Amino acid sequence: MESMGKKKPRPRRSFTPEFKAEIVELCRRGDRSVGQVAKDFDLTETAVRDWVKQAEVDAGELDGLTSSEREELARLRRENRRLREDVEVLKRATAFFAKETR
């Protein structure tokens, strides 16, 4: 009885930038609400709202990180994490070889 009413989470989907741009354009036209566009294309309303907001940031209409800035930030964070791991490996190797030479 406990599982009644609980929906299984939807598997994570990815969408092309072109598809997102089309959805944003449909929302901006104003003939349909964000909720209606989301329902028509079987999308979550939150995702569509996020796409519209990001498009407004990219167009300079809102303050925030543009898509290219977000991509660069993610790339720099990955690189930073990798470099920290490299430094940690070098520290361990240095400690190991320092112990061996005593």
Side-chain angles (χ1 to χ4, degrees), residues 19-78:
F19 177 77
K20 291 179 182 181
E22 287 180 35
I23 296 298
V24 168
E25 183 56 36
L26 286 173
C27 293
R28 284 189 168 176
R29 279 192 209 147
D31 11 335
R32 292 188 279 179
S33 68
V34 171
Q36 188 60 46
V37 171
K39 192 175 190 179
D40 292 348
F41 287 89
D42 190 31
L43 302 166
T44 64
E45 193 170 334
T46 304
V48 175
R49 287 189 191 285
D50 288 345
W51 296 348
V52 170
K53 182 178 178 187
Q54 188 61 52
E56 290 171 348
V57 169
D58 290 346
E61 299 167 10
L62 282 178
D63 287 338
L65 293 177
T66 64
S67 295
S68 61
E69 289 170 334
R70 285 181 184 277
E71 289 170 12
E72 181 181 16
L73 182 60
R75 182 186 59 77
L76 290 172
R77 285 182 173 163
R78 280 191 303 274

